[in-house]
Structure formats: structure tokens, C-alpha cells
């Protein structure tokens, strides 16, 4: 398709992971959104972000005397980071009018991020935007009204011209209801307004299983006034009853994407029974190169210089941080495996500890050390128990197992640059993409991973990493994934990772280079944004233009 104009895009997301001094993210979704805005600036494309100013972040999660993670909340001071636009917007939430201030984050010049805030001094509704993913179901719906309805109103109040609205995850779906309401207010019928709205909305789905999709009863949505003027029947038509945020987004978008090729298949199968849903294609997530890839590694790689010594330097930096933080001395010449993610059960953070009998001799002979980090959702006790278990193990093997508390972007950066190997063992098909391994790959930190998310489309087994599914071969039906992966992991650890690391440095360096090459070519946010334009934004933009043409003729 030939474009004479680059469409202007407004990107809606509940969280953004941009920097330490703006903690308004929980995990991968937010990091993706932050990296996306940074890459948009690099590419100089007209994209703006819309989100929420979470006054107390997600959680500061510290390990207590009981080895259990405990949540702490503090009020952050954002002065100097956000600018007042002097714009306010109003939305209705459960019988009252809520006023939000609109702040602007100006880190990216032409690609500002606008943040809605109900927590300014004097507000009676600060509860809505206090904690990301905090509170009850009603709190969540209120947050989503602010993001969606408030977000569109903010764009209007700021007088910003937008061609395409991108809903990143179903959280933003009420923005679609506001786009419909606007058109109905201008005289269209519900059906006309819905159809016209579809031509300007695209959607990214991240959920790999049906149970992970957010649903709310239509009655509750009416009570919360999330319907935004639509009737109960109209709501039901969009999202079903209970109202499924993902299904509604699929019916409000002209095209949607899954976040890896494997996830595309999963998502297509999951929603094939849904009528009137947008086509789902694959656009694999990416990470922002200069945020995550160490510059010296990049240079050593490009100039074919000593990659190993730069890597050792980064490893020392990580070990120094651990020495300061945890008061334990790990050794720079021992093979180091890292694992850092949200402590959700499906990520199986504790999996390899099921074979302590195999790990213990490796610790005793100084062949292996392990570095863990991650936060659990404040209400996820199962996830917190996994952290507690790992902390307990770290106390049993203090010189070989470390847990770093309060996982954030800075810890992530240290780890994906300083470990030797990056472990990824989620339950399939639960990891829609998984971006921490991309960051590791870019730094020559070798992935050892199950075949899920982006892994199968990028890693070549035994060349740019290891894929556990290629160790044992086809699993049996009704396989026990824990057993299968434990066998495969220990096989590859004993037969390949340890021997190559200690005895074949040349091969190791060759794999590091293959990994960096793969990362730069396939796993960047820049590549992702180009695909968003070619597959989604330009597509929507063309539909919308055709529509204008038809209207102009009639
Ligand atoms: C990259 C990143 C994530 C996402 O990692 P996954 O591999 O998708 O689990 C989460 N949190 C932080 C702080 C990150 O930097």
C-alpha cells in the first residue's frame, strides 16, 4: 500500500515502564509499552501514548524475616518528570463525575505520553488512580473508564489529531465506547458509529488462555457507568454477557495482533468461535535496543573485538550489586544462570529446584550459581510462595543461589547483561511472548528455553541458544510438562551448557555472537513498530480514507 502520509497513532496502555523515576508499570506489558514509545521517537513516527499516573506504583516488594515477600506502598513525587498540561477531563464513574488532570511526560519530544490522574491534591476520587492493578473489581472498572473514556476526552481537550487508536490489551476497550458515543452524539446510529469506529481501532491481545481474559457482568458495567451511554443490549452485543474485554476489543478493532507467531495460533484457536471478531495476525514483541543492549557489547560485537572480556565486566557489575545488596560474594568465573520475571505460577520459577539432588553437587564443586528476581502480584499468594521457596533455598546455599528483592528495570538490566545463561521455563502455551529473554539475547546471554512465545521463531537450537523441546523430542500425549522440562533442562545443562562454558570458549563466543545477531535482526521494538505500521496502522488508515471518500460522494 502506498502512503502519502504516516498515520498518527494514539496508543492506550494501562502501564508504561520507562525509567526508575516514573514507576507506573508492573511487568512485561508496561516495559513493552515504554520500549514502544522510545522506539517511536527513534523512528520519528507520529505516535503518542495515553496512560495513567499511578501515584503509588504497583508495589515495592521486600523480603521479610519470614522469607516471604511483603508489599509496601509509598507516594511518589513526580515533579520534574511530568508537566501540567492545564487540561482536565471529566468522566462518569458509578454515579459521580470524576475529574482527572492530564499530565505530559516529555521524554520523547514529538512522542509525548499523556497520563490521566484522579489523585491530584483536593481530588475526592484519588482511589481510582492510586495503585496499578490494585483494589476490587469495581476499582478496576473505574480505572479502565479513566484510561479509555478519559483518554479519548484528553486527546480531544488537547486538540490532538489522531488517525488510528491502538488498544494495547483489553484494558483500554472503553475508549471504543467513547469513540462510538461521540459519533452517536453527532447523529449516527449505534450500528453506524460502531462500524466507523472499527475503521480507526487496532488491538493487541496478550492473553494466551481463556481464563486470563478479563470479564465483567454487563449489569455491573451499567452500575459503574462504563457503558458510557450505551444500552445493556448494545454492551452485550459488543462484549457478550459477562462482558469479555478481549472479545469486545476484537469486535471494535479492524485488525488485531498476537505478540508472537506461536501466540497467533493460540489466540486464533481461542477466539475462532467468536463472530464478528477482527482477524488476528502475529506481530512479535520487541525490545528497545539502546535501553537493554549494553553499548560496549554492541561495539565489541560490531568491531569483532573481545566480547568475553566485556561480558566479564558486566558480570562483575552484577556481582558487585549483589554483594552490596545481599552481602554475598558470587564468583565471576562460575557459570551463572539468571531467571527474573513476575512470580506468577505459570512461569515456574521454582521448577529446577525440584532436583536439588542434581544442583547440590554443582554448587559444591563450584560449577554453577543461580540469580533470581521477580515480584508477585500483591494478591497472588501462590506466586509469593514461590518467591519464599527460592529465598529459603538461597539461604541454604548462600554462595550459589541469590534472590534479588523488588525486581525493577534496573535489576532487569543488570541481570540480562551480567548473567551467562537466561532460563525461561513457563508452562506452554502460557507465555504469549516473554521479552526478558530478548534483552538477554542482545547482550550475548544465551537463552535456554521451552518452546513458547517468541522462542521458536528466532532461536536456532545449539547455535543461538537452547530449546528444551528439541532435547527429548516429541512429548507423549498428556505429558507432564514439569517432568519433561526437568529432564530436558538437566540434560542440556550437563551435556552442553557446562562442558561448552568451561571447555570450549570459542564455541561459547560463537553462540554469543549468533544470539546478538538474532536479537538485533528479529527482536527490536523498531522492527515491531515497522510491522505495526505495515500491517495495522496503514491498514486502518486506508479503511478510514475509503470511508471518507464514500461519504464525500454520497
Ligand atoms: C523485561 C521485563 C519484564 C518482562 O519479562 P518477561 O520475560 O516477559 O517475563 C518484566 N519486568 C521487568 C522489570 C522487565 O524489565
Amino acid at each position: 500500500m502506498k502512503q502519502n502520509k504516516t498515520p498518527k497513532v494514539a496508543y492506550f496502555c494501562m502501564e508504561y515502564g520507562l525509567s526508575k523515576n516514573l514507576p507506573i508499570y508492573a511487568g512485561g506489558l508496561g516495559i513493552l509499552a515504554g520500549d514502544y514509545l522510545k522506539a517511536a521517537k527513534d523512528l520519528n513516527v507520529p505516535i503518542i501514548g495515553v496512560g495513567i499516573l499511578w501515584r503509588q506504583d504497583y508495589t515495592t516488594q521486600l523480603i521479610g524475616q519470614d522469607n516471604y515477600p511483603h508489599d509496601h506502598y509509598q507516594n511518589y513525587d513526580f515533579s520534574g518528570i511530568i508537566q501540567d498540561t492545564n487540561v482536565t477531563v471529566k468522566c462518569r464513574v458509578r454515579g459521580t463525575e470524576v475529574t482527572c488532570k492530564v499530565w505530559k511526560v516529555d521524554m520523547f519530544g514529538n512522542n509525548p505520553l499523556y497520563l490521566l490522574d484522579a489523585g491530584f491534591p483536593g481530588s475526592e476520587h484519588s482511589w481510582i488512580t492510586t495503585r496499578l492493578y490494585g483494589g476490587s473489581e469495581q476499582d478496576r472498572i473505574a480505572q479502565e473508564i479513566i484510561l479509555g473514556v478519559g483518554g479519548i476526552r484528553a486527546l480531544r481537550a488537547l486538540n490532538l489529531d489522531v488517525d488510528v487508536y491502538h488498544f494495547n490489551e483489553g484494558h483500554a476497550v472503553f475508549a471504543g465506547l467513547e469513540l462510538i458515543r461521540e459519533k452517536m452524539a453527532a447523529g449516527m446510529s449505534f450500528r453506524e458509529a460502531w462500524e466507523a469506529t472499527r475503521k480507526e481501532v487496532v488491538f493487541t491481545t496478550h492473553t494466551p488462555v481463556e481464563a486470563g481474559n478479563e470479564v465483567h457482568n454487563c449489569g455491573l458495567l451499567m452500575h459503574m457507568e462504563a457503558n458510557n451511554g450505551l444500552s445493556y443490549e448494545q454492551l452485550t452485543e459488543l462484549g457478550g454477557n459477562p462482558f469479555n474485554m478481549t472479545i469486545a476489543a476484537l469486535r471494535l478493532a479492524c485488525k488485531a495482533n498476537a505478540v508472537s507467531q506461536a501466540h497467533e495460533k493460540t489466540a486464533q484457536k481461542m477466539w475462532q468461535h467468536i463472530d464478528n471478531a477482527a482477524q488476528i495476525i502475529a506481530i512479535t514483541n520487541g525490545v528497545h535496543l539502546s535501553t537493554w543492549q549494553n553499548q560496549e557489547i554492541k561495539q565489541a560485537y560490531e568491531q569483532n573485538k573481545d566480547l568475553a572480556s566485556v561480558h566479564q565486566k558486566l558480570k562483575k557489575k552484577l556481582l558487585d550489586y549483589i554483594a552490596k545488596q545481599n552481602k554475598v560474594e558470587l564468583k565471576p568465573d562460575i557459570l551463572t544462570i539468571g531467571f527474573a520475571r513476575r512470580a506468577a505460577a505459570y512461569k515456574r520459577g521454582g521448577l529446577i529446584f525440584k532436583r536439588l539432588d542434581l544442583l547440590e553437587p554443582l554448587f559444591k564443586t563450584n560449577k554453577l550459581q543461580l540469580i533470581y528476581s521477580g515480584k508477585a502480584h500483591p494478591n497472588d499468594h501462590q506466586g509469593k510462595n514461590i518467591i519464599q521457596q527460592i529465598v529459603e533455598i538461597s539461604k541454604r546455599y548462600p554462595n550459589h543461589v541469590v534472590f534479588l528483592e523488588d525486581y525493577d528495570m534496573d535489576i532487569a538490566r543488570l541481570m540480562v547483561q551480567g548473567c551467562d545463561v537466561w532460563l525461561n521455563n513457563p508452562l506452554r502455551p502460557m507465555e504469549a511472548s516473554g521479552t526478558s529473554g530478548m534483552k538477554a539475547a542482545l547482550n550475548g546471554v544465551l537463552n535456554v528455553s521451552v518452546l513458547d512465545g517468541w522462542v521458536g521463531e528466532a532461536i536456532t537450537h545449539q547455535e543461538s541458544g537452547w530449546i528444551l523441546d528439541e532435547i527429548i523430542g516429541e512429548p507423549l500425549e498428556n505429558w507432564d510438562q514439569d517432568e519433561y522440562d526437568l529432564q530436558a533442562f538437566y540434560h542440556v545443562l550437563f551435556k552442553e551448557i557446562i562442558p561448552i562454558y568451561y571447555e570450549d570458549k570459542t564455541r561459547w563466543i560463537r553462540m554469543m555472537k549468533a544470539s546478538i545477531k538474532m536479537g538485533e535482526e528479529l527482536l527490536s521494538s523498531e522492527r515491531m513498530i515497522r510491522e505495526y505500521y505495515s500491517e495495522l496502522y496503514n491498514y486502518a488508515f486506508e479503511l478510514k480514507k475509503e470511508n471518507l471518500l464514500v461519504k464525500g460522494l454520497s
Side-chain angles (χ1 to χ4, degrees):
M1 235 177 291
K2 218 168 135 53
Q3 291 296 323
N4 44 23
K5 180 189 170 228
T6 311
K8 295 195 174 80
V9 178
Y11 182 83
F12 285 68
C13 189
M14 201 71 152
E15 46 172 308
Y16 289 86
L18 289 161
S19 67
K20 192 169 187 78
N21 56 12
L22 189 59
I24 53 169
Y25 69 94
L29 184 73
I31 305 291
L32 178 79
D35 280 7
Y36 166 87
L37 286 184
K38 293 175 188 171
K41 175 181 162 69
D42 295 348
L43 291 169
N44 193 25
V45 286
I47 288 172
I48 57 177
V50 178
I52 290 180
L53 184 70
W54 301 103
R55 293 245 169 203
Q56 291 187 353
D57 186 17
Y58 175 54
T59 167
T60 300
Q61 200 166 71
L62 306 176
I63 306 299
Q65 291 297 322
D66 51 2
N67 298 337
Y68 194 78
H70 296 276
D71 297 297
H72 304 265
Y73 301 97
Q74 60 192 97
N75 286 303
Y76 286 88
D77 176 12
F78 298 107
S79 52
I81 304 156
I82 55 174
Q83 294 171 6
D84 197 343
T85 62
N86 293 314
V87 161
T88 58
V89 294
K90 292 182 189 339
C91 330
R92 293 203 55 87
V93 177
R94 201 174 50 202
T96 52
E97 193 151 70
V98 174
T99 301
C100 294
K101 271 183 87 69
V102 183
W103 299 93
K104 182 177 177 183
V105 181
D106 228 351
M107 302 181 189
F108 322 102
N110 292 331
N111 304 84
L113 168 62
Y114 293 100
L115 296 173
L116 291 124
D117 169 31
F120 56 88
S123 166
E124 286 163 35
H125 308 288
S126 57
W127 58 275
I128 303 180
T129 57
T130 300
R131 286 181 200 164
L132 172 59
Y133 305 134
S136 64
E137 183 183 2
Q138 295 200 11
D139 295 347
R140 172 67 71 90
I141 295 168
Q143 294 164 355
E144 289 166 338
I145 295 172
I146 301 301
L147 176 67
V149 178
I152 297 287
R153 291 181 186 172
L155 297 174
R156 302 296 180 254
L158 291 159
N159 243 323
L160 295 166
D161 187 17
V162 175
D163 300 308
V164 179
Y165 302 86
H166 184 162
F167 301 169
N168 189 36
E169 179 59 68
H171 305 134
V173 85
F174 300 143
L177 306 196
E178 174 64 3
L179 292 170
I180 289 177
R181 188 203 60 77
E182 286 179 330
K183 296 177 182 71
M184 289 172 74
M188 284 190 192
S189 71
F190 167 64
R191 217 150 282 283
E192 289 165 345
W194 179 3
E195 211 171 288
T197 294
R198 274 195 96 151
K199 293 179 177 161
E200 53 189 6
V201 173
V202 299
F203 168 52
T204 301
T205 179
H206 293 261
T207 40
V209 287
E210 199 131 16
N213 289 283
E214 191 182 326
V215 295
H216 304 288
N217 279 318
C218 286
L220 180 61
L221 292 182
M222 300 292 289
H223 173 68
M224 294 299 295
E225 296 186 62
N227 57 309
N228 200 33
L230 295 188
S231 71
Y232 188 92
E233 289 69 29
Q234 289 166 339
L235 260 192
T236 307
E237 212 178 320
L238 286 170
N241 193 6
F243 186 93
N244 183 310
M245 304 288 278
T246 308
I247 293 174
L250 287 168
R251 288 183 178 149
L252 278 161
C254 59
K255 214 168 180 188
N257 81 288
V259 292
S260 69
Q261 289 170 22
H263 180 228
E264 175 193 38
K265 294 204 177 63
T266 312
Q268 283 175 350
K269 208 161 118 197
M270 186 164 35
W271 304 120
Q272 64 189 5
H273 63 289
I274 299 301
D275 55 42
N276 201 15
Q279 182 198 1
I280 301 172
I281 62 166
I283 297 178
T284 301
N285 284 347
V287 295
H288 184 243
L289 297 181
S290 60
T291 297
W292 299 108
Q293 185 183 40
N294 179 270
Q295 287 309 300
E296 281 183 68
I297 282 281
K298 179 180 154 75
Q299 274 165 23
Y301 169 72
E302 280 168 2
Q303 297 162 9
N304 212 8
K305 296 236 178 75
D306 189 2
L307 212 48
S309 70
V310 179
H311 174 71
Q312 278 309 104
K313 205 164 108 185
L314 296 171
K315 190 169 177 182
K316 284 236 181 62
K317 200 169 152 195
L318 169 63
L319 301 191
D320 286 348
Y321 177 81
I322 290 169
K324 200 174 92 216
Q325 207 61 31
N326 288 32
K327 312 276 178 277
V328 293
E329 304 280 342
L330 299 188
K331 296 193 177 62
D333 50 352
I334 299 181
L335 170 69
T336 303
I337 298 183
F339 182 107
R341 338 179 151 262
R342 277 183 306 116
Y346 83 87
K347 303 237 186 198
R348 295 190 297 180
L351 181 69
I352 67 171
F353 296 113
K354 281 191 167 182
R355 294 303 306 269
L356 270 177
D357 60 318
L358 294 176
L359 284 173
E360 200 165 305
L362 293 174
F363 297 154
K364 286 219 170 93
T365 54
N366 273 335
K367 282 277 187 295
L368 179 67
Q369 53 197 14
L370 302 171
I371 303 173
Y372 277 76
S373 191
K375 279 181 191 175
H377 184 280
N379 299 334
D380 179 5
H381 297 292
Q382 202 185 359
K384 288 184 172 179
N385 284 332
I386 294 172
I387 293 179
Q388 185 182 40
Q389 182 209 344
I390 297 171
V391 174
E392 276 165 6
I393 290 169
S394 77
K395 297 211 165 152
R396 252 166 83 190
Y397 306 99
N399 299 313
H400 295 92
V401 183
V402 163
F403 183 84
L404 289 169
E405 66 183 357
D406 204 31
Y407 183 45
D408 65 7
M409 286 178 73
D410 288 359
I411 293 177
R413 192 180 293 108
L414 280 169
M415 286 183 69
V416 298
Q417 296 183 356
C419 294
D420 300 308
V421 169
W422 198 251
L423 174 62
N424 179 44
N425 52 224
L427 270 180
R428 306 163 191 80
M430 303 283 286
E431 195 62 272
S433 181
T435 53
S436 62
M438 299 178 174
K439 305 167 192 166
L442 280 165
N443 289 290
V445 172
L446 301 180
N447 279 275
V448 54
S449 175
V450 304
L451 189 59
D452 204 10
W454 62 273
V455 168
E457 64 194 85
I459 293 180
T460 306
H461 180 56
Q462 295 171 321
E463 281 180 28
S464 48
W466 291 275
I467 300 178
L468 294 185
D469 302 53
E470 302 212 9
I471 305 289
I472 303 181
E474 282 290 296
L476 302 170
E477 223 176 304
N478 295 325
W479 55 323
D480 176 340
Q481 288 198 39
D482 277 11
E483 267 317 305
Y484 179 93
D485 290 327
L486 278 168
Q487 265 198 42
F489 171 74
Y490 282 104
H491 181 92
V492 82
L493 180 65
F494 283 107
K495 299 285 186 216
E496 302 195 28
I497 299 175
I498 288 177
I500 298 172
Y501 183 80
Y502 289 107
E503 290 155 33
D504 192 351
K505 284 284 175 199
T506 316
R507 165 112 192 258
W508 193 273
I509 298 291
R510 200 163 67 228
M511 289 186 73
M512 286 179 76
K513 287 181 182 165
S515 166
I516 295 170
K517 183 170 192 283
M518 159 185 82
E520 290 183 350
E521 285 176 7
L522 302 175
L523 306 175
S524 72
S525 311
E526 286 83 347
R527 187 269 312 144
M528 178 183 81
I529 289 185
R530 286 203 185 89
E531 288 184 37
Y532 280 156
Y533 266 97
S534 66
E535 304 296 324
L536 300 182
Y537 302 158
N538 289 342
Y539 176 78
F541 193 51
E542 287 298 318
L543 284 181
K544 207 170 143 180
K545 272 204 313 215
E546 280 164 28
N547 199 39
L548 291 178
L549 211 62
V550 173
K551 271 209 321 216
L553 288 174
S554 62

